[in-house]
Amino acid sequence: KMIKKAVLPVAGLGTRFLPASKATPKEMLPIIDKPLVQYAVEEAINAGINEIIFITSPEKNSIKNHFDKNEEIESRLIKSGKDDMVKKLNPDIFSNITFYYVNQETQNGLGDAILHAESIIKNEDFAVLLPDDLFFSKRSCLSQLIDIYNEKKSSVIAVNKIDKENIHKYGVIKPGKVSDVFINVQDIVEKPSYKDAPSDIAVCGRYVLTSSIFNHLKATDFDKNGEIQLTDAIRSLIKDEEVLACLYKGEKFDCGSKKGFVHATIALALRDESISEDIKKIIKDII
Ligand code: G1P
């Protein structure tokens, strides 16, 4: 059993980025020169995934256009001697990947989005990547989860410790036994209040899930906001199966917020050799 399929939920309206997200999906907004969603797709492919399932909406055609091979622009680039740009246009790593696009007609939450992938995933274990969360580390976040999955064959969730005053924005685990590599998850709650939070260990946007999650998702009720929460289905899964958490070691940018998006842009600009010196100078001048 290997993790070969990944689900990327991208149907959200992206209201926090209006008006930018009016005609351009927020997942297509660039961090420097690459759309946010491509970072998650590359992380998935580099972790061994070869089928990517976008749960999307009919207005977000540009995501499909972006991952399709564009032969017309490729031949125009070659004709004008810009062969070096072809790898950016049609990256080699996409060539053996199957991309699926499934429409989520109504915004019924992350759990409902994942359920839309069932007919493609069937009874395989799979990965979920939330593209708003951008991660950088030597061994990628998803690879860290898959390492644990390969050994334990259980669901594995990425978590990180956060300031308790921000805990209400995340799924939060109640940790059980802790080893060097993983934490046994005893319970998990979606967006608890400060006083109800079972710990300061929050779920970040990468998961490896066993296919039994689908039955738990189907049995999950809508929450008070009319959404089916993945967290509630995982809570129910824990009653049947071991669920583990992996304390993610590396950098994390929450690109679902303006602050995180700008933070990621500055951090990556300072790492881009073609502009970093200029950017440093610009920042210095501004300050
Ligand atoms: C979702 C999950 C939440 C998780 C978070 C990570 O929430 O429901 O459990 O902690 O992603 O980014 P959202 O950010 O979509 O509200």
Side-chain angles (χ1 to χ4, degrees):
K1 285 207 276 182
M2 303 272 278
I3 301 297
K4 289 285 164 198
K5 295 181 178 170
V7 183
L8 276 74
V10 293
L13 288 174
T15 42
R16 270 184 274 184
F17 284 91
L18 280 170
S21 55
K22 183 179 175 187
T24 303
K26 72 157 190 219
E27 296 80 9
M28 289 300 295
L29 299 177
I31 307 282
I32 313 294
D33 55 3
K34 202 188 279 184
L36 181 56
V37 65
Q38 189 173 335
Y39 291 92
V41 166
E42 288 179 0
E43 181 182 333
I45 296 172
N46 288 328
I49 299 293
N50 56 24
E51 293 184 46
I52 303 233
I53 304 147
F54 290 104
I55 309 303
T56 182
S57 68
E59 327 58 86
K60 294 198 173 185
N61 262 334
S62 57
I63 296 181
K64 180 170 186 307
N65 295 342
H66 184 75
F67 291 101
D68 277 350
K69 187 166 184 186
N70 191 320
E71 299 196 351
E72 199 205 309
I73 300 186
E74 178 168 324
S75 68
R76 273 161 51 193
L77 284 174
I78 293 169
K79 261 186 215 147
S80 54
K82 292 181 177 152
D83 300 48
D84 52 327
M85 288 291 135
V86 171
K87 280 199 180 337
K88 291 199 167 186
L89 179 79
N90 295 323
D92 289 341
I93 57 162
F94 294 171
S95 56
N96 294 319
I97 308 299
T98 309
F99 293 99
Y100 298 92
Y101 302 86
V102 181
N103 283 331
Q104 184 187 16
E105 288 78 16
T106 42
Q107 298 289 306
N108 287 344
L110 178 59
D112 178 63
I114 306 301
L115 255 184
H116 278 67
E118 188 186 13
S119 60
I120 297 171
I121 291 178
K122 301 196 178 78
N123 51 7
E124 264 178 69
D125 300 344
F126 63 100
V128 174
L129 297 96
L130 309 184
D132 275 355
D133 286 331
L134 183 57
F135 296 101
F136 293 103
S137 49
K138 221 160 150 203
R139 185 138 185 85
S140 77
C141 185
L142 184 59
S143 295
Q144 291 178 31
L145 302 190
I146 291 178
D147 289 345
I148 297 173
Y149 169 85
N150 285 343
E151 193 189 314
K152 305 289 291 180
K153 298 292 180 246
S154 314
S155 296
V156 193
I157 313 167
V159 293
N160 65 342
K161 286 196 178 194
I162 60 157
D163 295 337
K164 207 93 190 272
E165 49 275 20
N166 285 316
I167 206 84
H168 62 280
K169 298 178 189 161
Y170 300 94
V172 181
I173 68 160
K174 180 178 181 201
K177 222 176 94 208
V178 180
S179 83
D180 282 353
V181 198
F182 54 77
I183 303 168
N184 272 81
V185 181
Q186 269 186 3
D187 198 4
I188 185 166
V189 275
E190 181 67 6
K191 304 194 173 86
S193 65
Y194 183 94
K195 76 175 197 348
D196 292 333
S199 73
D200 60 352
I201 308 175
V203 175
C204 41
R206 302 289 183 271
Y207 309 74
V208 169
L209 297 168
T210 60
S211 62
S212 22
I213 195 70
F214 290 122
N215 285 335
H216 291 275
L217 280 167
K218 282 178 220 164
T220 299
D221 286 331
F222 289 98
D223 69 359
K224 58 180 187 311
N225 302 317
E227 297 193 344
I228 296 175
Q229 290 301 341
L230 177 60
T231 300
D232 292 340
I234 295 174
R235 182 171 213 196
S236 154
L237 180 70
I238 292 170
K239 295 184 185 123
D240 286 356
E241 287 179 16
E242 176 180 70
V243 173
L244 304 171
C246 166
L247 205 54
Y248 168 67
K249 295 172 203 77
E251 278 179 300
K252 172 178 180 264
F253 299 100
D254 170 16
C255 296
S257 74
K258 280 186 218 176
K259 187 176 106 182
F261 196 94
V262 174
H263 185 185
T265 303
I266 296 169
L268 264 64
L270 292 173
R271 278 171 222 176
D272 181 331
E273 278 176 16
S274 68
I275 53 172
S276 62
E277 286 310 312
D278 289 335
I279 298 295
K280 265 185 221 160
K281 198 176 166 298
I282 291 168
I283 293 174
K284 235 181 175 170
D285 288 351
I286 292 172
I287 291 168

